[in-house]
């Protein structure tokens, strides 16, 4: 194994960099357009590209119908494995096509057509993927909201996406707890200003939902009454979906993904990055509510004619820490893709990893993303499973990996802590504060030279200015990733963490700014700051530092419990907001800006330089002492 890049990779990277239009035109030939594009790349004044503008296609056609036309109808398309309900259900391409085409008919009967939005708030059941593909079939736009989000978060997304229909299920199952989704949906619909004409509810036997007629419609009845519909062709640049992600403010950003660039990029990634061929079994152990679930549970494996696994369970406790090995062995998984946090959880429960019971001979690679893969977890997984472990870095915005060990182009030597090299099409640069390229391998802001390759976000839904301000204006000519890190002498990419106020808890991206807004709304709170601190399994957890209003009398434990309940209610349990401590002062600049980086450094146990702009340096040892007393400083 060598750290020098294989010839095949170097050639593709060079071609994608020097002649992006030519390179991606070649890749575009691998998908079935209803009208192939003649215009390949158009760039705006910032350099941001739009891809394949005059091409026409349908993403559901590429995921399903193409395979029926090519004789793949009897192959398994989707395996639903649900330890929480004790079921395994298998769909061939033919069966999945029938489910999707008839559900698309049901949505059409409810008035959904090209360009309309449909919000999908579902647990990990096949109907989530069926709903997404059905929306795509109609040329409409889906917006999947992760099932762990609260009614308040769902309402924000409903107001922003203004859907015609919301598709949901009666409940989700978290290990053995049944979580009723319908009351959350009802609350969200009453909180939202946008009025939705209909919901479609998939009733699960674990808990039936109470239906409000005529608004709520039963999935099975409306699907049963509908006839299958054909695909509606759309322009390559028409939106396929909106996926909300956390930014630095309280308001989530609706990342918009187009149809054409998305299909071309994902198809390319399946062979170049994942070394995955038609018929292979691909398992992304994520959730359809996240970008990994969109790209690698639903679209990419189906575009590539593979079998995808949709897993409703956890890496541990459903029923134990061997769940991943069971699923891989039972379904002959070739590629497993999961977040490092899942492996940290497995390691904690079963440090020796009882693998002997399972035949993992079909498993070829383990891909990881969603958060930094710490070297200890990397080594443990590699040594325990004995398969290549591939860390790869990407974001909701890009929709596919920016840097990876491109298994399909020739596997390179792995370096613990690095997501290997830039994927062809992504031109990674490390910049300093002034936007100058850093060449001495030291840390800086990771930026991507424009144009981005196909598949990346085209805008922020309803707010193009926010897209330009947030990503394109900081470093002219580049996309600002929000991550910091460095490139080593072999051009390996090391992503060290966010440079903004976004944190990553168990592979879930959360905004500390949003949590601050909620904490600040407590009547006892004068001022607060939320930062991400180290957590052994989940990587990070939020911590609130709170200043009380003068004269308020509330003990710390009561306040903490109330704040925990507020964040859980407003964002959801997935925020894992469990800690709030009282401080007397917060470190600020003379102009009043809270020095969050200093707080993060204190919590990380790192040494720090006291900036000359600080107003009250004496507060630093004081905060350090409070954090230490509360055992909040990283070991
Ligand atoms: N619906 C409702 N509630 C949900 C939910 C959902 N879809 N997903 C999570 N929650 C709740 C959980 O029940 C839990 O609630 P609790 O505080 O009442 O116990 C809370 O949100 C936190 O959930 P989670 O982060 O899953 O923690 P956990 O302790 O249950 O499990 C791990 C820990 C490590 C096993 C789990 O976080 C995990 O598998 N992470 C991998 C994440 C991942 O794949 N991310 C995708 C990025 S590629
Ligand atoms: P999300 O948009 O939810 O996928 O989160 C994207 C963020 O997760 C990135 O900006 C990174 O901070 C982090 N991330 C994802 N993958 C990696 C990785 N392989 N290494 C380091 N950080 C990662």
């Amino acid at each position: 194994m060598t750290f020098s890049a294989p010839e095949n990779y170097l050639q593709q990277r060079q071609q994608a960099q020097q002649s992006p239009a030519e390179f991606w035109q070649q890749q575009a030939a691998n998908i079935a357009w209803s009208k192939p594009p003649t215009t390949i790349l158009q760039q705006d004044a910032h350099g941001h590209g739009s891809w394949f503008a005059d091409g026409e296609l349908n993403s559901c056609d590429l995921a399903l119908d193409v395979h029926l036309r090519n004789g793949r109808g009897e192959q398994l398309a989707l395996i639903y494995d649900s330890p929480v309900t004790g079921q395994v259900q298998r769909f061939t391409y033919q069966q999945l096509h029938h489910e999707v085409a008839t559900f698309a008919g049901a949505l059409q009967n409810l008035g959904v057509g090209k360009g309309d939005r449909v919000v999908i708030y579902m647990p990990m059941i096949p109907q989530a993927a069926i709903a997404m593909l059905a929306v795509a079939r109609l040329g409409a736009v889906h917006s999947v909201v992760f099932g762990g989000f609260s009614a308040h978060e769902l309402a924000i997304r409903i107001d922003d996406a203004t859907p015609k229909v919301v598709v949901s299920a009666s409940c989700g199952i978290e290990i053995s707890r049944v979580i009723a989704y319908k009351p959350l949906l009802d609350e969200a619909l009453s909180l939202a200003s946008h009025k939705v004409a209909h919901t479609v509810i998939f009733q699960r036997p674990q808990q039936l939902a109470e239906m409000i007629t005529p608004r709520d419609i039963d999935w099975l009845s409306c699907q049963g009454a509908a006839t299958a519909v054909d695909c509606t062709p759309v322009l390559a640049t028409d939106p396929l979906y909106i996926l909300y992600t956390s930014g630095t403010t309280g308001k989530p950003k609706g990342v918009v993904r187009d149809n054409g660039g998305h299909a071309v990029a994902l198809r390319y990634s399946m062979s170049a990055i994942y070394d995955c061929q038609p018929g292979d079994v691909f398992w992304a152990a994520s959730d359809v509510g996240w970008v990994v679930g969109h790209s690698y549970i639903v679209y990419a494996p189906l575009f590539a004619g593979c079998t995808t696994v949709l897993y409703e369970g956890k890496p541990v406790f459903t029923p134990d820490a061997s769940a991943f090995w069971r699923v891989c062995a039972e379904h002959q998984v070739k590629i497993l893709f999961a977040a490092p946090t899942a492996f940290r959880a497995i390691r904690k429960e079963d440090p020796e990893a009882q693998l002997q019971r399972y035949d993992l001979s079909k498993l070829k690679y383990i891909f990881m993303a969603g958060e930094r893969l710490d070297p200890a977890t990397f080594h443990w997984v590699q040594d325990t499973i004995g398969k290549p472990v591939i860390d790869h870095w990407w974001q909701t915005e890009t929709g596919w990996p920016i840097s990876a060990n491109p298994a399909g182009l020739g596997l390179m030597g792995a370096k613990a802590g690095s997501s290997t090299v830039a994927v062809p099409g992504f031109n990674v640069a490390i910049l300093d504060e002034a936007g100058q390229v850093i060449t001495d391998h030291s840390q800086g802001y990771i930026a991507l030279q424009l144009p981005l390759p196909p598949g990346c976000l085209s805008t922020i839904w309803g707010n193009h200015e926010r897209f330009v301000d947030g990503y394109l204006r900081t470093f002219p000519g580049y996309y600002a990733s929000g991550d910091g890190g460095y490139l080593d002498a072999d051009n390996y990419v090391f992503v060290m963490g966010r440079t903004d106020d976004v944190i990553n808890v168990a592979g879930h991206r959360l905004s500390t700014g949003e949590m601050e807004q909620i904490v600040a709304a407590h009547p006892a709170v004068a001022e607060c700051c939320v930062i991400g601190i180290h957590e052994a399994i989940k990587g990070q957890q939020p911590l609130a530092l709170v200043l009380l209003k003068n004269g308020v009398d509330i003990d710390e434990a009561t306040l903490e419990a109330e704040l925990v309940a507020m964040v859980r209610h407003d964002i959801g349990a997935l925020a894992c907001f469990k800690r709030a401590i009282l401080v007397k002062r917060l470190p600020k600049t003379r102009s009043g800006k809270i020095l969050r980086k200093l707080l993060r450094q204190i919590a990380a146990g790192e040494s720090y330089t006291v900036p000359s702009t600080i107003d009250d340096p004496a507060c630093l040892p004081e905060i350090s002492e409070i954090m230490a007393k509360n055992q909040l400083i990283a070991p």
Side-chain angles (χ1 to χ4, degrees):
M1 199 60 70
T2 158
F3 293 137
S4 59
E7 200 49 42
N8 204 8
Y9 162 77
L10 288 174
Q11 266 175 13
Q12 294 205 9
R13 186 168 127 174
Q14 192 184 25
Q15 199 198 349
Q17 191 165 18
Q18 289 174 357
S19 326
E22 198 180 296
F23 179 78
W24 289 109
Q25 185 168 28
Q26 284 163 18
Q27 302 310 325
N30 296 327
I31 66 163
W33 299 86
S34 45
K35 178 171 170 268
T38 54
T39 303
I40 306 302
L41 170 64
Q42 288 172 320
Q43 287 178 266
D44 67 12
H46 298 277
H48 183 62
S50 90
W51 289 94
F52 315 118
D54 61 349
E56 287 182 20
L57 75 172
N58 179 282
S59 294
C60 180
D61 178 68
L62 298 184
L64 300 174
D65 302 56
V66 160
H67 304 305
L68 304 196
R69 296 200 287 276
N70 292 343
R72 235 171 234 289
E74 295 313 310
Q75 188 203 298
L76 281 184
L78 186 145
I79 301 171
Y80 165 55
D81 186 303
S82 169
V84 294
T85 60
Q87 298 178 70
V88 174
Q89 213 182 336
R90 295 178 171 82
F91 297 81
T92 61
Y93 271 98
Q94 185 76 55
Q95 289 164 334
L96 191 59
H97 178 270
H98 173 74
E99 292 293 329
V100 169
T102 49
F103 191 62
L107 290 174
Q108 193 177 59
N109 291 343
L110 294 174
V112 176
K114 193 169 173 175
D116 291 333
R117 274 81 57 213
V118 174
V119 162
I120 300 172
Y121 183 61
M122 299 282 261
M124 281 290 285
I125 55 177
Q127 287 69 27
I130 291 167
M132 291 164 73
L133 292 164
V135 172
R137 193 169 188 84
L138 296 172
V141 181
H142 59 71
S143 185
V144 183
V145 178
F146 177 63
F149 275 121
S150 65
H152 172 251
E153 288 288 326
L154 178 57
I156 292 175
R157 288 155 174 78
I158 289 172
D159 273 340
D160 199 70
T162 60
K164 247 194 185 149
V165 171
V166 178
V167 181
S168 189
S170 55
C171 64
I173 301 154
E174 277 292 294
I175 307 183
S176 55
R177 257 180 321 142
V178 174
I179 312 242
Y181 273 38
K182 183 62 177 15
L184 295 170
L185 173 61
D186 289 341
E187 189 187 339
L189 290 172
S190 67
L191 288 172
S193 324
H194 171 73
K195 292 303 155 210
V196 172
H198 290 294
T199 74
V200 178
I201 308 295
F202 186 80
Q203 294 278 20
R204 304 187 78 189
Q206 291 76 15
Q207 180 159 357
L208 294 180
E210 265 184 43
M211 304 289 267
I212 301 171
T213 46
R215 187 196 69 188
D216 299 338
I217 293 170
D218 176 67
W219 174 298
L220 290 180
S221 355
C222 70
Q223 190 186 24
T227 46
V229 293
D230 280 339
C231 294
T232 303
V234 293
L235 280 176
T237 47
D238 281 339
L240 168 65
Y241 69 77
I242 306 166
L243 179 58
Y244 288 88
T245 189
S246 300
T248 48
T249 68
K251 193 174 181 319
K253 303 188 267 200
V255 164
V256 177
R257 188 94 53 221
D258 68 10
N259 277 274
H262 174 250
V264 172
L266 292 194
R267 189 68 196 80
Y268 172 70
S269 75
M270 286 303 274
S271 48
I273 299 176
Y274 297 102
D275 183 22
C276 195
Q277 277 78 44
D280 286 342
V281 183
F282 192 100
W283 177 26
S286 179
D287 188 290
V288 288
W290 306 117
V291 67
V292 173
H294 280 62
S295 295
Y296 292 103
I297 295 175
V298 181
Y299 286 107
L302 298 180
F303 288 159
C306 298
T307 303
T308 186
V309 178
L310 190 138
Y311 175 70
E312 187 182 28
K314 301 257 175 183
V316 290
F317 310 131
T318 57
D320 56 34
S322 68
F324 271 24
W325 324 135
R326 181 203 46 90
V327 173
C328 287
E330 203 168 313
H331 306 307
Q332 312 217 318
V333 170
K334 175 176 169 187
I335 288 137
L336 167 61
F337 176 169
T341 191
F343 290 96
R344 289 196 293 268
I346 294 171
R347 183 185 183 188
K348 177 163 174 264
E349 293 306 313
D350 183 11
E352 302 304 322
Q354 309 297 318
L355 294 169
Q356 304 77 356
R357 285 184 287 150
Y358 301 99
D359 174 8
L360 296 181
S361 54
K362 282 279 184 318
L363 183 65
K364 196 162 176 196
Y365 308 103
I366 299 171
F367 281 85
M368 299 222 210
E371 58 181 316
R372 181 156 194 270
L373 172 58
D374 55 287
T377 306
F378 169 84
H379 287 301
W380 182 78
V381 179
Q382 182 141 290
D383 297 348
T384 310
I385 324 286
K387 312 272 178 179
V389 171
I390 301 184
D391 178 14
H392 58 337
W393 167 53
W394 51 311
Q395 310 183 314
T396 303
E397 289 85 344
T398 63
W400 66 295
I402 307 161
S403 59
N405 200 333
L409 302 178
L411 210 55
M412 302 170 59
K415 296 189 190 182
S418 167
S419 52
T420 322
V421 289
V423 166
F426 286 102
N427 303 309
V428 175
I430 309 295
L431 305 183
D432 65 16
E433 200 87 35
Q436 297 303 310
V437 176
I438 297 176
T439 51
D440 65 359
H441 313 306
S442 59
Q443 271 199 50
Y445 298 92
I446 312 184
L448 309 174
Q449 209 176 344
L450 296 171
L452 295 171
C456 300
L457 80 172
S458 51
T459 187
I460 297 295
W461 181 255
N463 198 345
H464 193 67
E465 228 9 64
R466 188 171 181 196
F467 166 67
V468 173
D469 282 348
Y471 299 103
L472 307 183
R473 258 199 243 287
T474 321
F475 302 119
Y478 294 89
Y479 161 91
S481 74
D483 280 309
Y486 62 96
L487 289 170
D488 77 0
D490 297 313
N491 270 323
Y492 274 50
V493 181
F494 288 75
V495 182
M496 304 308 288
R498 297 288 304 191
T499 53
D500 55 14
D501 296 326
V502 166
I503 61 170
N504 201 309
V505 179
H508 305 148
R509 179 165 153 185
L510 297 163
S511 156
T512 52
E514 188 173 10
M515 293 185 219
E516 280 176 14
Q517 274 181 18
I518 299 166
V519 172
H522 189 286
V525 173
E527 212 178 343
C528 70
C529 170
V530 176
I531 56 167
I533 63 169
H534 172 79
E535 207 275 347
I537 302 293
K538 298 187 179 183
Q540 283 190 299
Q541 65 168 335
L543 165 73
L545 296 99
V546 176
L547 261 88
L548 289 181
K549 283 183 183 156
N550 283 341
V552 165
D553 184 22
I554 184 167
D555 73 83
E556 197 168 18
T558 308
L559 178 70
E560 185 175 68
E562 289 177 7
L563 293 175
V564 167
M566 284 168 73
V567 175
R568 204 178 163 91
H569 177 268
D570 282 6
I571 297 182
L574 87 154
C576 296
F577 180 93
K578 299 210 160 87
R579 296 306 315 268
I581 53 170
L582 290 178
V583 293
K584 295 192 191 76
R585 308 173 271 191
L586 286 169
K588 287 187 183 169
T589 59
R590 278 180 217 109
S591 58
K593 195 167 173 275
I594 298 174
L595 292 158
R596 289 180 170 74
K597 188 170 170 204
L598 271 183
L599 292 169
R600 289 198 291 266
Q601 286 174 313
I602 295 174
E606 289 170 6
S607 57
Y608 54 85
T609 319
V610 180
S612 56
T613 50
I614 194 167
D615 187 34
D616 179 13
C619 72
L620 296 175
E622 192 178 283
I623 289 174
S624 185
E625 200 181 309
I626 296 172
M627 283 193 190
K629 198 179 82 197
N630 284 282
Q631 296 177 332
L632 294 167
I633 296 187

